[in-house]
Amino acid sequence: MKLTKGRILEFGFVLSMAIILVTSIIEELWFDASVAGAGIISGLIPFFIEKTFKTELDGKMKVAYILFLFASQYLGSIVGLYGNGWWDTFLHLLSGIFLAFLGFDFFSRLDDDIWTEIPKRFLFVYIVVFSMAGAALWEMYEFTSDVVLNTTMQGNGNDDTMVDIIAGSLGGILAAFFVVTLHQREKAKQKRHMKKSS
C-alpha cells in the first residue's frame, strides 16, 4: 500500500476523529461523539473503495474529499460553523464542484477513443446533471433521516432543500466550464500525439 499524500491525509483525518470520539465519550459529549464516529466511517470510504474494487482513486479527488469532510463534520458540526446560515450553503456549493470532478473522473476512465470523441456540449450537460443528481440524492437522505430518525437536517423544510439543491447545481455548473476546458486540452494533446506517431 503506497503512502501517498491523499492516503496520509485520509488516515490523519480518521485518527483525529478517533481522538475526538474518545475524548467526547469521556466528557459525555454525545453529539460530538456521533459526528466523530460518522467521520471515521466517512474518512475510510476511499480506502475501502480502492481495496474492494482494486482500483486507485485520483489523489486530488481524495484530498478534496477529506478537506470537504473536515469542513462539514469538524468545522461545521463540532466547531459549530453550521450556526452561521451561509456555511451550509457554501458547503453545498463546494459539494457541487466536488461532484463535478468526481463525474469527470468516472468519465475519464472510458476508452480513449470514446473519451476523446465525446462533444464538449454533451460533457457539459453530463457534468451538470451529475452534480444536480448528487445534490438531489443528498436532500433525499436528509429528508429520510428527518422522518425516520427525527433529526433536523432540513431545518427550514422546503426552503432549505431548494437552496441546497440550487447551490449544489451552481457549483456543478461553475465546475463544468473548467472541466470542459480540461477535456478540450486533453483532446488537443491526444491529436498532436497521434499526428506525431503516424
Side-chain angles (χ1 to χ4, degrees):
M1 183 179 68
K2 291 187 293 184
L3 269 181
T4 60
K5 288 179 182 177
R7 181 72 74 219
I8 292 169
L9 190 63
E10 182 185 338
F11 286 150
F13 176 79
V14 169
L15 179 61
S16 65
M17 287 291 107
I19 293 169
I20 291 171
L21 174 62
V22 172
T23 55
S24 297
I25 290 172
I26 292 170
E27 296 174 11
E28 298 185 357
L29 300 171
W30 304 118
F31 175 76
D32 288 358
S34 66
V35 172
I40 293 170
I41 296 168
S42 302
L44 288 171
I45 286 175
F47 174 76
F48 287 127
I49 288 175
E50 289 180 331
K51 286 295 178 186
T52 304
F53 297 102
K54 292 180 172 47
T55 186
E56 190 168 342
L57 299 174
D58 181 71
K60 295 185 186 72
M61 289 297 303
K62 284 195 282 189
V63 170
Y65 175 69
I66 295 300
L67 290 176
F68 181 79
L69 290 182
F70 177 78
S72 61
Q73 294 179 321
Y74 179 72
L75 294 179
S77 296
I78 295 175
V79 174
L81 289 184
Y82 278 129
N84 302 318
W86 59 270
W87 187 254
D88 181 57
T89 304
F90 172 67
L91 286 183
H92 278 281
L93 180 75
L94 287 184
S95 72
I97 295 170
F98 173 77
L99 285 167
F101 283 99
L102 180 63
F104 184 60
D105 184 57
F106 291 158
F107 174 80
S108 65
R109 292 170 189 266
L110 293 171
D111 291 338
D112 286 347
D113 292 342
I114 301 171
W115 192 76
T116 52
E117 292 305 316
I118 295 290
K120 64 180 182 181
R121 283 171 293 189
F122 175 86
L123 177 59
F124 184 87
V125 171
Y126 160 73
I127 292 297
V128 173
V129 170
F130 192 93
S131 297
M132 291 175 75
L137 282 172
W138 180 258
E139 293 308 309
M140 290 179 195
Y141 160 72
E142 286 191 352
F143 174 77
T144 304
S145 178
D146 287 354
V147 171
V148 177
L149 302 176
N150 202 30
T151 56
T152 55
M153 296 181 76
Q154 288 187 308
N156 295 321
N158 190 54
D159 288 350
D160 179 80
T161 300
M162 291 313 300
V163 167
D164 290 349
I165 289 177
I166 290 168
S169 301
L170 181 60
I173 291 168
L174 293 173
F177 285 107
F178 184 69
V179 163
V180 167
T181 304
L182 280 179
H183 181 243
Q184 292 300 104
R185 285 179 184 170
E186 286 296 321
K187 281 176 72 171
K189 193 188 297 182
Q190 201 119 1
K191 283 177 182 175
R192 285 196 299 270
H193 180 71
M194 287 171 65
K195 281 180 181 178
K196 285 180 181 177
S197 57
S198 60

